[in-house]
């Protein structure tokens, strides 16, 4: 069975790795990419999404989304993680193709009406486009099958502040709208993505198995590996954004628990995903929010093999 998927993305090196995993996976029917500010400005994210699809020789809509957080000033971006160009300073040539005329939110809503209850949204950047789509089409939760989010940190520290993960921190008010919309939300946060490190030779294997797609990921990852290795005594790498897509291909690799999440929006707790497993609190501040599922475990070896096998197809 194939799963219709829209990836909402801010490419981004792990975004690139995730997009190419989706492109290669026969279980995933990718309908298009929607772009959002995050690692880089939305304009550059859109150019990069076009570049990535052109490089893969794939013709799919790329729809530009929001440039700013729901509330608050412009983002500071994460070019120190992903490079000035968002793709490890490879400085790829400008794309020849152009973005779709539809905005990201318009595309999501149009596809949701076209394929009711068939689409899994996979946001792997800040959640502004999804929040905007919910505002423009309040029936969206009835039309979307699942929302598999890369973001958040339930039981572990954040990566931008001690309590907040980057995607949620970047647009905390949007995240609160998305998490409380009453649809099937699954959160793949740092609990699993930061617990699963990859050796640098992982990207060499992807490149050997798939010189075009894996080759680009391997080249772009060198900058990213240097960033992640600064605080370690060996070279490491993380591919956060591929996790919610891997779940679609093989959910058995993951452990998920159900509970309620509140998103911090005050300056100190901005972007905190404060998680109460079901039955763990009587506080209505949590119990009155719709339940969501949170990934707390993953089979590291099997996931690594899934990535390699999928790139090798
Ligand atoms: C998330 O932040 C971005 O830097 C990555 O692309 C990923 O989506 C990890 O916290
Ligand atoms: Ca991302």
């Amino acid at each position: 069975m194939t799963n219709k998927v829209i990836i909402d993305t801010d490419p981004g090196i792990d975004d690139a790795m995730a997009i190419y995993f989706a492109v290669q996976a026969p279980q995933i029917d990718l309908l298009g990419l929607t772009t959002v500010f995050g690692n880089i400005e939305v304009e550059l994210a859109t150019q990069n999404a076009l570049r990535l699809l052109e490089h893969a020789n794939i013709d799919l809509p790329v729809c530009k989304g929001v440039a700013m957080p729901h509330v608050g000033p412009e983002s500071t971006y994460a070019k120190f993680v992903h490079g000035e160009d968002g793709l490890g300073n490879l400085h790829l040539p400008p794309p020849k193709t152009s973005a779709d005329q539809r905005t990201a939110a318009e595309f999501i809503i149009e596809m949701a009406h076209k394929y009711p209850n068939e689409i899994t949204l996979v946001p792997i950047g800040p959640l502004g486009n999804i929040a905007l789509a919910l505002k423009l089409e309040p029936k969206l939760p009835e039309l979307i099958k699942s929302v598999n989010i890369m973001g958040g940190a339930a039981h572990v520290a954040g990566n931008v502040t001690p309590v907040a993960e980057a995607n949620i921190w970047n647009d905390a008010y949007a995240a609160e709208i998305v998490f409380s919309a009453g649809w099937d939300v699954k959160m793949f946060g740092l609990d699993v993505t930061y617990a699963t490190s990859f050796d640098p030779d992982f990207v060499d294997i992807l490149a050997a198995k798939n010189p075009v797609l894996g080759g680009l990921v391997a080249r772009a990852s060198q900058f990213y590996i240097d960033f992640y290795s600064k605080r370690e005594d060996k070279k490491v790498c993380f591919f956060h954004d591929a996790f919610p897509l891997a779940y679609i291909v093989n959910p058995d690799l993951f452990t998920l628990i159900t509970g309620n999440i509140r998103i911090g929006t005050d300056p100190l707790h901005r972007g905190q995903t404060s998680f109460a497993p079901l039955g763990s609190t009587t506080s209505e501040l949590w119990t009155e929010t719709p339940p969501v599922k949170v990934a707390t475990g993953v089979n590291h070896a099997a996931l690594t093999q899934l990535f390699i096998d999928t790139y090798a197809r």
Side-chain angles (χ1 to χ4, degrees), residues 210-276:
N210 187 328
V212 176
L213 306 187
L216 188 141
V217 169
R219 289 197 302 282
S221 291
Q222 298 314 311
F223 185 91
Y224 191 64
I225 292 170
D226 286 345
F227 167 79
Y228 273 118
S229 305
K230 276 189 193 132
R231 283 170 293 170
E232 311 281 337
D233 50 13
K234 63 178 180 109
K235 293 226 164 203
V236 286
C237 205
F238 297 92
F239 289 100
H240 312 277
D241 287 343
F243 284 56
L245 291 155
Y247 179 85
I248 296 172
V249 174
N250 188 353
D252 294 341
L253 300 185
F254 294 87
T255 307
L256 279 79
I257 59 176
T258 304
N260 308 93
I261 281 191
R262 295 303 309 269
I263 311 289
T265 47
D266 67 286
L268 193 61
H269 303 101
R270 171 179 160 190
Q272 180 171 15
T273 45
S274 202
F275 178 56

Side-chain angles (χ1 to χ4, degrees), residues 8-15 39 82 123-126 150 167 240-241:
D8 187 59
T9 176
D10 57 342
I13 294 163
D14 59 328
D15 300 74
N39 293 321
H82 296 269
I124 56 175
M150 190 285 126
N167 288 341
H240 312 277
D241 287 343

